[in-house]
Amino acid sequence: MATQSSKQSAPDTTRRSEKSRRAIYDAALGLVAEVGYPKTTIEGIAARAGVGKQTIYRWWSSKAEVLMEAFLDLSEQAAREAGPEETYTIADTGDLAADLKAVLRLTVDQLKDPRFEAPSRALAAEGVVNEQVGRAFMAKLLEPSLQLYVDRVRAAQDAGQVRPEIDPRIALELWVSPLAQRWLQYTGPITYDYTDTLVDYALHGIAPR
Amino acid sequence: MATQSSKQSAPDTTRRSEKSRRAIYDAALGLVAEVGYPKTTIEGIAARAGVGKQTIYRWWSSKAEVLMEAFLDLSEQAAREAGPEETYTIADTGDLAADLKAVLRLTVDQLKDPRFEAPSRALAAEGVVNEQVGRAFMAKLLEPSLQLYVDRVRAAQDAGQVRPEIDPRIALELWVSPLAQRWLQYTGPITYDYTDTLVDYALHGIAPR
Amino acid sequence: MATQSSKQSAPDTTRRSEKSRRAIYDAALGLVAEVGYPKTTIEGIAARAGVGKQTIYRWWSSKAEVLMEAFLDLSEQAAREAGPEETYTIADTGDLAADLKAVLRLTVDQLKDPRFEAPSRALAAEGVVNEQVGRAFMAKLLEPSLQLYVDRVRAAQDAGQVRPEIDPRIALELWVSPLAQRWLQYTGPITYDYTDTLVDYALHGIAPR
Amino acid sequence: MATQSSKQSAPDTTRRSEKSRRAIYDAALGLVAEVGYPKTTIEGIAARAGVGKQTIYRWWSSKAEVLMEAFLDLSEQAAREAGPEETYTIADTGDLAADLKAVLRLTVDQLKDPRFEAPSRALAAEGVVNEQVGRAFMAKLLEPSLQLYVDRVRAAQDAGQVRPEIDPRIALELWVSPLAQRWLQYTGPITYDYTDTLVDYALHGIAPR
DNA sequence: CGTTAACCGAGACGGTACGTCTTGTCTTCTT
DNA sequence: AAGAAGACAAGACGTACCGTCTCGGTTAACG
């Protein structure tokens, strides 16, 4: 005899329509890019994806969640397109400053890539006001990138280029956070010069040496 | 300049009801604190303020704008309650590190003040996704505070405690932005220790001296 | 100070939009006639009337209620178009049989009038399954017509053409109900001959005299 | 007759699951009785019967059709439980009035039997608005009962208790239809007195003898 | 000091989207 | 091949807000 579950039994993942999922990702990213996050609606996504609303509600619980997965998928796809080693480490040429500047320049480019701009802004914004989304955004999108900096700084510490008592997790915020804030809050222009300067300040401080 | 009559002529500011404005501010702040920004609606604000919806639409063009003014009003009020000189300058004891740490500790406290938390998060979030709001948020709320740091850093440069070629506008981001990001994006805990560390790293860098 | 009513205060009838109400009546009757009652939806009525759904839900609580009022309105309109005395009485020529046959022939015509057919069928059907609607249908639509028969039969009793112990309320069912059932349940054809026969049977019975 | 393949070929009746059919009948009747016809859904029937939706759609084309068969089945069952001869004829004691009154009293009882009430109302209602269902309802459920009255009236005609020119098919409507209408449309109370009166009026008319 | 033009509270209006429910079809796996 | 299960596209449900509009009433500046 079957389970007479009153209501929501979890949907059966094995029977999920891959086609629909892809269409929903595409529709969500497209709409966010074209009309912006607030005007992107679940109904709109469903219509554009040629999908019933229920198919969205069955698998996600909110617009933010859909967009999060869509964006993660997009990121993975982009990572796959780029080289395989590229994404999982920061180059170590022995020159910490140079290496950091190089990565930050790539980040600047990415922040201006229109494919990424709209959805990541939207997710960041949602995360500010919705802690659950914020923590998910942190864990799934930010954390992996930050860890690369931690690794690189640790290597620099081993090489004697960074003081051993420095906490890498905090150190990286000296260049990551300023960039993030300028991007998120329009607190200043974002240029290669700017990120280069950040690295210099972070490495040597602002006090006389 | 003439009447920019697209439909309605501009409302007459002199006849504006002070009582209604106050009630709307209170209602907006109260609702954002109690139910969160997304669930705060113009209808809700109007109802709670005992005000017609049109009275809101007459003077503001969006929920964000209402909240922005309400929050500015709240900030001014709070500033008035605190000392008069307190707010318009950062103490200069001659010890830059100590002065910065002191201010940042106050900031930490303020970030955790529930009266400020909800509305400023909401505005920040809205600003991320809505550039107009973002720039207004920057200009009206952030910029004045940041300017205090610029002034203090300049004084330190004059006193020879900061290298002269350092750009104060960027320098301040070394401690402000990390704190801001942790607060906005839940990327880490916010403590006095943390802000103290930020100041130390910012002043002396992470490289061996 | 105003009534801080938690929710549904009754809507203000004086500010009701006459235009919307008329448009809703027309749309409801039109749709029921064109696509049938089950496929007539509140959304469809609203769309066709160029009206927000809430405007329907504000004033009516169900599709059936809308249609009931629309149909009542239609009936009143039709009555106004016909003569004024016509509708409020059954002619008394002194010949009960002839008078009844005449009215029933009119009824037969009306039952076949496509303007009336669809909505009255729909309401009757809804009334069968929904007692509240059924009683309202009876009270507002059927009862007034039936009363005319009661009056005519009473007059016939006074004239000695109907036995005094006869209950007019039951007597009228001898011709009204058969016609109603044939119409409602497709239990037989509806013709002038048929209604004439009903009147004859009803007046003199089926037993030998 | 050929395979009416529009999409699927006709299902193979020989392999049909008797258990499922019974479960579906029970579920349909149960739900109609408990929550009413409009709230009875195909999904609900399938769930309650522990049956896939397709199993219903395979064998029936609508909710009404399911209920019709379920109700027919119920009626046959009830008939089998009662005596065998009881149901297929109306007693002929020689006294037409008494015989009709007796049967009508039984009908009154049956109309109030909760097992029959809900589904037969539902089917009647559906039939009012859906001619196909209406005609099926008439043919399968009403007609057989009405035929019994035709037979009994014919016998009475042979016995000289009913005028020979009377059409039995119309005559029976003099008592059946009023009762039906009171039941369907809540146009009046249903009592033994009432049905007795109907028979009297029908036999002797309302005019002075 | 009365007229009058505006703001005001209130809330009806045409809309859009919400999240849920059901329809009828389709697909997968089981019996 | 029928059946149990349930995902799917479609679309209506009734609710909540949007931003606009109209309606008295009240209130402050002007004539």
Side-chain angles (χ1 to χ4, degrees), chain B:
Chain B
M1 184 170 292
T3 334
Q4 184 161 346
S5 83
S6 64
K7 192 75 200 227
Q8 239 83 28
S9 42
D12 180 345
T13 327
T14 65
R15 311 191 51 173
R16 183 167 182 184
S17 161
E18 180 61 15
K19 206 176 78 180
S20 293
R21 200 181 61 197
R22 296 237 50 86
I24 289 164
Y25 287 166
D26 291 350
L29 292 170
L31 283 173
V32 166
E34 287 168 26
V35 307
Y37 180 68
K39 290 193 172 175
T40 296
T41 64
I42 300 237
E43 292 217 324
I45 295 172
R48 170 133 154 181
V51 137
K53 280 200 288 178
Q54 200 55 246
T55 301
I56 297 184
Y57 284 110
R58 184 155 30 229
W59 302 108
W60 297 277
S61 62
S62 69
K63 181 170 70 161
E65 214 179 278
V66 174
L67 191 59
M68 178 87 79
E69 285 197 21
F71 187 64
L72 274 170
D73 180 84
L74 176 67
S75 303
E76 280 162 25
Q77 217 174 286
R80 242 174 289 117
E81 282 172 14
E85 78 293 337
E86 277 290 335
T87 7
Y88 297 117
T89 178
I90 291 173
D92 186 347
T93 65
D95 180 347
L96 178 61
D99 291 350
L100 292 178
K101 287 176 182 175
V103 184
L104 282 175
R105 284 174 175 229
L106 284 176
T107 304
V108 167
D109 292 342
Q110 208 197 102
L111 289 181
K112 292 181 170 170
D113 179 339
R115 282 196 325 178
F116 286 80
E117 167 105 29
S120 48
R121 287 203 101 82
L123 287 169
E126 185 71 24
V128 169
V129 113
N130 178 335
E131 182 160 351
Q132 197 205 308
V133 171
R135 295 202 177 277
F137 184 79
M138 170 61 182
K140 295 189 187 162
L141 287 164
L142 261 32
E143 196 61 63
S145 310
L146 299 185
Q147 190 56 42
L148 303 183
Y149 286 111
V150 171
D151 295 344
R152 185 63 189 80
V153 170
R154 287 241 167 81
Q157 283 178 316
D158 294 344
Q161 291 169 351
V162 166
R163 277 177 279 136
E165 77 275 15
I166 292 294
D167 179 344
R169 191 59 191 67
I170 295 178
L172 88 249
E173 296 181 34
L174 295 177
W175 52 85
V176 166
S177 297
L179 181 57
Q181 194 177 29
R182 285 206 171 188
W183 182 67
L184 283 176
Q185 306 199 276
Y186 306 96
T187 47
I190 293 176
T191 64
Y192 290 166
D193 259 12
Y194 170 63
T195 52
D196 288 356
T197 305
L198 281 176
V199 172
D200 290 335
Y201 287 10
L203 289 187
H204 308 109
I206 62 174
R209 300 181 225 195

Side-chain angles (χ1 to χ4, degrees), chain C residues 8-18 21 58-59:
Chain C
Q8 259 109 295
S9 28
D12 181 343
T13 325
T14 66
R15 312 187 56 177
R16 185 166 182 183
S17 162
E18 181 61 16
R21 200 181 61 195
R58 182 154 33 231
W59 301 109

Side-chain angles (χ1 to χ4, degrees), chain C residues 10-81:
Chain C
D12 181 343
T13 325
T14 66
R15 312 187 56 177
R16 185 166 182 183
S17 162
E18 181 61 16
K19 207 176 79 180
S20 294
R21 200 181 61 195
R22 296 236 51 85
I24 289 164
Y25 287 166
D26 291 350
L29 292 170
L31 283 173
V32 166
E34 287 169 26
V35 306
Y37 181 69
K39 289 194 174 175
T40 295
T41 64
I42 300 237
E43 288 211 327
I45 296 171
R48 167 122 143 186
V51 136
K53 279 200 286 178
Q54 203 53 47
T55 300
I56 298 185
Y57 285 111
R58 182 154 33 231
W59 301 109
W60 296 276
S61 60
S62 68
K63 184 169 69 161
E65 215 179 278
V66 174
L67 192 60
M68 177 87 79
E69 284 197 21
F71 187 65
L72 272 170
D73 180 85
L74 176 67
S75 304
E76 281 162 25
Q77 215 174 287
R80 240 174 290 117
E81 283 171 16

